[in-house]
Amino acid sequence: MSQRGPLDTLIELAQEGRDRAALGLAQARQGEQQGVAQVETLKRYRQEYAERLQRAMQEGIDPASMHNYQHFLRSLDDAMGRAQQALEQQRRQVTRSQQQWQGEQRKLSSYDTLASRRADQAERVRQRQELRLNDELSQLALRRGRTPHSLQGGH
């Protein structure tokens, strides 16, 4: 009965936009989780390596090995810094993706509200038309009912 109109097309496009934004948000959150895992792994590894250095120092360590340990720890610190920066960037992406999804959801909700109002208005118009038709049919039935009685009364 109902035909697809421009509003239906807008709703469909808004749903697709919201779904794309939701997918982008899910991917951004997954990237964030991976970033957190990477930072935590590097922290644990650095802690373990620092503990090894401590044990080696207690047992006695030659200067070359000490330098190698320290160099590797600095490399781990640099890697942790880069991983932390990447994580912060990914968190900003999550925020942007969430805002985009919310915007798409608001747009869809607006269109849904318009469609609901239009459907309510169409239903009110249909009810008024039905009421008018029933009134007309009732009046017609009354007129027809009077005519035979008035004809019988005239004879």
Side-chain angles (χ1 to χ4, degrees), residues 37-68:
Q38 183 179 19
V39 167
E40 291 302 316
T41 298
L42 286 169
K43 282 181 181 179
R44 279 193 310 274
Y45 190 55
R46 190 204 186 285
Q47 180 64 33
E48 290 171 10
Y49 207 76
E51 289 171 5
R52 282 190 219 165
L53 173 59
Q54 285 293 344
R55 282 193 302 273
M57 286 172 49
Q58 289 171 354
E59 296 169 1
I61 187 171
D62 64 275
S65 295
M66 176 76 157
H67 175 74
N68 288 339

Side-chain angles (χ1 to χ4, degrees), residues 60-144:
I61 187 171
D62 64 275
S65 295
M66 176 76 157
H67 175 74
N68 288 339
Y69 268 104
Q70 290 173 336
H71 178 71
F72 190 68
L73 285 171
R74 280 193 301 274
S75 296
L76 285 174
D77 288 339
D78 291 344
M80 282 179 21
R82 287 189 303 273
Q84 190 65 42
Q85 286 176 345
L87 176 58
E88 291 307 315
Q89 183 178 3
Q90 192 61 39
R91 285 182 171 152
R92 288 189 296 274
Q93 180 60 38
V94 167
T95 299
R96 285 189 301 270
S97 296
Q98 190 167 19
Q99 290 169 346
Q100 183 178 2
W101 178 84
Q102 288 170 339
E104 293 294 330
Q105 182 62 39
R106 278 191 301 273
K107 184 190 312 181
L108 177 58
S109 294
S110 296
Y111 292 150
D112 282 341
T113 299
L114 287 174
S116 178
R117 287 178 186 165
R118 181 174 284 176
D120 290 347
Q121 182 181 15
E123 178 61 19
R124 285 191 302 272
V125 167
R126 187 197 63 76
Q127 288 174 351
R128 277 188 241 125
Q129 288 172 341
E130 187 177 313
L131 185 58
R132 275 191 224 119
L133 179 61
N134 286 338
D135 287 347
E136 289 173 9
L137 290 175
S138 294
Q139 289 177 3
L140 184 60
L142 284 174
R143 279 190 223 130
R144 284 187 179 161

